[in-house]
Amino acid sequence: MIQNDHFIIKTKVYFNKGSMQMLRCMKGHCALVVSDGIMQELGYLKMAQGYLKDAGINSAVFTGVKPDPDVNVVAAGVEAYESCNADLLVALGGGSVIDTAKAILYFVWERHKARGEKFEKPCFVAIPSTSGTGSEVTNFSVISAKGAKNVLIDEFIAPDVALLDSTCIRNVPKAVIADTGMDVLVHALEAYVSKDATDFTDALAEKTAELIFAHLKKLYDDPANDNARDRVQNASCIAGVAFTNANLGITHSMAHALGAQFHLPHGRANALVMESVIQYNADLAGTANNYAAWKYRMMAERLNLPARTPREGTVSLLYAIRKLKREIGIPQGIQATGKVDPELFEKAVEGMAEEAIHDRCTPTNPTPPTKEDIVRLYRESF
Ligand SMILES: NC(=O)c1ccc[n+]([C@@H]2O[C@H](COP(=O)([O-])OP(=O)(O)OC[C@H]3O[C@@H](n4cnc5c(N)ncnc54)[C@H](O)[C@@H]3O)[C@@H](O)[C@H]2O)c1
Ligand SMILES: [Zn+2]
């Protein structure tokens, strides 16, 4: 099954509270700080600019990022980058902000290539303000175009430095804690059963799942719990390293299409389809004796859940996921979100399945799906 022969972590990760101050040690003349209105409102943007000033670095800001960024936002960011002639790129925000900064970097580079100019790659620093995507260490960027989410994958866009400063995630609303936390768990489980999983990525995926099951509910119940916040933030980053090396699967492919169609947050869309996908991957309706079922059993065992057989392990894992989702207020199905009209869903389902089949996360799913499989999984998740 394993078709992967290397493991890479390019990003230097600082994980202490207050690590944003590492900006004081950066080099450069002008930084472009990519962020959003919330980070500005909460004062974190000003804080980052202050640290850059201490290092003698001028900064320009681009705060036009909205959740699930699209190509127009990226195009505006490319202009902002070029007009300040930046030699340092800082992303301060959630996955949407970090992905935008990555796409800006990618397209500035493309522009230079098109003009036949040499591109001096800036140092790229990512400071996540959510614990979810792991984008601070991945070579993925998810950008919407014409109502669909496109995944850009290139080592070039992986940040050089990640500053995990849990101060920045103190104000995350409870619903965002829940959605982004489920995203972390899906990253771990998809990396774990991916066709590109290795011993290296398995170790990271197992640790991630342990941390999420131990700390996500605690953080949701009490967002002021420092230890839980730190541990979930670590889990998010660790899962990022796992999936940037092992890739993901059709939970993400389906979530990308579903989220784009019905404007559901990324982590929530994942949480809504993950159980159907696990049952499908493990062939729970059949023999439950394939590669994915054995991997789910291993994961369940690692989590101290009943797992004498692949079937028992998979069922235990599903039970634990369902319990966690209930505890952190994730609706049990797509319809229960109240955001998706059943008729519109039926109209959209074929198109979403078509998109999901061509998503860049699909080839590493342990069981290769047909379009009909995906349509059925969407309906089961409804
Ligand atoms: N690059 C990757 O590897 C990768 C992986 C998974 C998902 N994604 C993409 O990342 C995006 C989702 O990112 P996300 O889940 O981090 O959410 P997000 O960045 O879209 O943020 C969600 C909301 O929370 C707000 N927010 C962020 N930090 C906050 C804070 N500290 N306090 C208060 N509010 C805060 C944001 O302003 C936004 O309104 C999607 O576009 C998804 O497709 C990327
Ligand atoms: Zn994700």
Side-chain angles (χ1 to χ4, degrees):
M1 176 60 85
I2 292 173
Q3 55 182 27
N4 191 0
D5 64 358
H6 64 281
F7 177 86
I8 180 166
I9 167 148
K10 170 186 164 191
T11 312
K12 184 163 186 178
V13 180
Y14 292 86
F15 44 80
N16 275 345
K17 194 170 284 154
S19 60
M20 209 214 276
Q21 294 189 46
M22 287 304 296
L23 289 175
R24 288 182 166 139
C25 305
M26 297 298 151
K27 304 254 180 297
H29 298 290
C30 180
L32 178 70
V33 186
V34 179
S35 194
D36 68 7
I38 301 241
M39 291 293 101
Q40 191 162 30
E41 213 174 282
L42 293 172
Y44 296 124
L45 184 55
K46 205 168 171 195
M47 201 186 280
Q49 286 189 282
Y51 294 145
L52 289 167
K53 198 171 172 203
D54 292 346
I57 303 172
N58 292 324
S59 56
V61 296
F62 176 71
T63 54
V65 182
K66 299 271 178 300
D68 300 328
D70 66 15
V71 280
N72 297 321
V73 170
V74 175
V78 167
E79 294 306 326
Y81 185 96
E82 295 216 314
S83 65
C84 74
N85 205 10
D87 54 3
L88 176 64
L89 178 63
V90 178
L92 171 65
S96 295
V97 164
I98 300 174
D99 281 8
T100 302
K102 286 172 166 177
I104 291 171
L105 179 61
Y106 184 84
F107 287 107
V108 170
W109 179 43
E110 285 287 306
R111 265 195 179 183
H112 276 70
K113 279 196 284 187
R115 294 194 294 243
E117 293 168 4
K118 190 167 178 286
F119 180 51
E120 289 294 335
K121 189 174 181 264
C123 176
F124 178 18
V125 183
I127 310 168
S129 70
T130 57
S131 294
T133 67
S135 185
E136 67 275 11
V137 287
T138 73
N139 51 18
F140 284 52
S141 167
V142 187
I143 301 295
S144 301
K146 295 184 186 150
K149 284 192 168 192
N150 301 284
V151 185
L152 187 64
I153 307 181
D154 199 301
E155 244 173 63
F156 182 80
I157 60 175
D160 301 296
V161 179
L163 305 179
L164 306 189
D165 185 341
S166 61
T167 329
C168 304
I169 54 170
R170 216 184 267 149
N171 308 79
V172 177
K174 271 194 170 208
V176 178
I177 291 175
D179 294 343
T180 51
M182 288 310 294
D183 192 22
V184 178
L185 184 58
V186 174
H187 292 158
L189 295 178
E190 293 220 293
Y192 200 63
V193 300
S194 160
K195 284 183 178 171
D196 276 351
T198 63
D199 285 348
F200 297 86
T201 58
D202 281 0
L204 299 170
E206 286 171 358
K207 185 66 192 177
T208 301
E210 263 180 35
L211 288 170
I212 288 298
F213 278 111
H215 297 285
L216 182 59
K217 179 185 178 303
K218 283 187 208 156
L219 180 62
Y220 180 83
D221 288 344
D222 177 14
N225 181 329
D226 281 341
N227 182 47
R229 194 175 336 110
D230 288 350
R231 308 309 292 280
V232 173
Q233 189 178 39
N234 288 348
S236 169
C237 185
I238 293 168
V241 182
F243 85 79
T244 203
N245 282 282
N247 205 353
L248 294 163
I250 59 170
T251 308
H252 268 78
S253 310
M254 292 174 65
H256 287 149
L258 179 70
Q261 182 75 34
F262 293 105
H263 307 291
L264 294 168
H266 171 74
R268 178 154 301 201
N270 270 320
L272 293 168
V273 298
M274 70 185 295
E275 289 168 63
S276 302
V277 172
I278 290 173
Q279 291 175 47
Y280 168 77
N281 283 345
D283 189 24
L284 218 50
T287 59
N289 192 25
N290 60 11
Y291 161 79
W294 279 91
K295 291 293 295 268
Y296 293 132
R297 189 198 75 79
M298 271 168 58
M299 179 61 92
E301 194 173 46
R302 178 76 193 225
L303 296 167
N304 293 321
L305 300 170
R308 282 164 304 181
T309 63
R311 183 180 298 280
E312 187 182 55
T314 306
V315 170
S316 302
L317 191 58
L318 283 164
Y319 180 78
I321 290 167
R322 214 160 290 154
K323 179 168 174 285
L324 178 62
K325 278 169 63 172
R326 215 175 19 248
E327 288 170 343
I328 62 172
I330 301 277
Q332 283 299 316
I334 297 170
Q335 188 168 22
T337 61
K339 303 230 161 152
V340 183
D341 175 77
E343 264 182 45
L344 292 181
F345 176 78
E346 268 312 311
K347 269 193 194 149
V349 76
E350 293 274 338
M352 292 193 299
E354 185 67 31
E355 267 175 44
I357 280 288
H358 294 107
D359 192 284
R360 290 185 72 173
C361 297
T362 299
T364 40
N365 198 65
T367 311
T370 62
K371 184 178 160 190
E372 290 66 39
D373 291 332
I374 303 261
V375 169
R376 183 170 49 77
L377 294 176
Y378 271 129
R379 289 193 175 126
E380 274 175 26
S381 309
F382 194 72

